[in-house]
Amino acid sequence: MALENVWIRTLGDGLVRADQVVGIANHRTPSLSGKPGRWLLTVALPVPLDNGPLHRTVVQTDEEALAAPGRLARLLAQLSAVETAGVITATPCGPDRSDVRFEFTRFDAELPPAPAQAAPVPDVVGAR
């Protein structure tokens, strides 16, 4: 199976198709004007840039979420083994926002009920 129907929600860039992810990483932002830097969990996409692949931020935490890249990779591997479609959302959690919770919401879990079918209209044959 593939991940072409699984999407990853990013912080500011909408959704990224999971089968396009070529890397998952943590990195720290610089401190600015007395504010501490933040940790970003990013996914890399195979878009050719001068510096390498394009990174999209999935979640921002106050402390490094050491296990998050591995857990996201494991979730992607699990989802690739089954036929499914939906969106992965990452949320910072823990008392010091140093962990990340991943939730997968299947598309069919949100489908509205099927509309009631109208009774067929009988054909009028031989009408004069």
Side-chain angles (χ1 to χ4, degrees):
M1 298 293 145
L3 293 169
E4 66 265 359
N5 294 317
V6 174
W7 299 81
I8 300 171
R9 185 173 313 281
T10 65
L11 274 182
D13 300 305
L15 300 173
V16 171
R17 220 170 72 187
D19 67 332
Q20 298 297 309
V21 172
V22 296
I24 304 169
N26 278 328
H27 74 275
R28 188 172 174 89
T29 63
S31 300
L32 297 174
S33 61
K35 293 182 181 181
R38 300 284 187 232
W39 284 92
L40 306 178
L41 174 69
T42 64
V43 292
L45 306 174
V47 177
L49 294 176
D50 293 338
N51 303 17
L54 177 66
H55 289 262
R56 291 292 178 230
T57 301
V58 176
V59 68
Q60 175 180 297
T61 58
D62 295 337
E63 300 293 328
E64 184 175 12
L66 293 171
R71 285 201 319 268
L72 179 55
R74 183 173 41 251
L75 176 58
L76 292 175
Q78 291 169 342
L79 292 173
S80 72
V82 296
E83 188 172 333
T84 192
V87 177
I88 296 170
T89 304
T91 308
C93 61
D96 57 356
R97 293 177 37 99
S98 64
D99 201 3
V100 177
R101 181 179 65 242
F102 296 100
E103 294 180 17
F104 178 71
T105 305
R106 291 171 36 140
F107 286 145
D108 61 347
E110 299 177 3
L111 289 178
Q117 294 196 3
V121 177
D123 290 333
V124 179
V125 180
R128 295 184 188 185

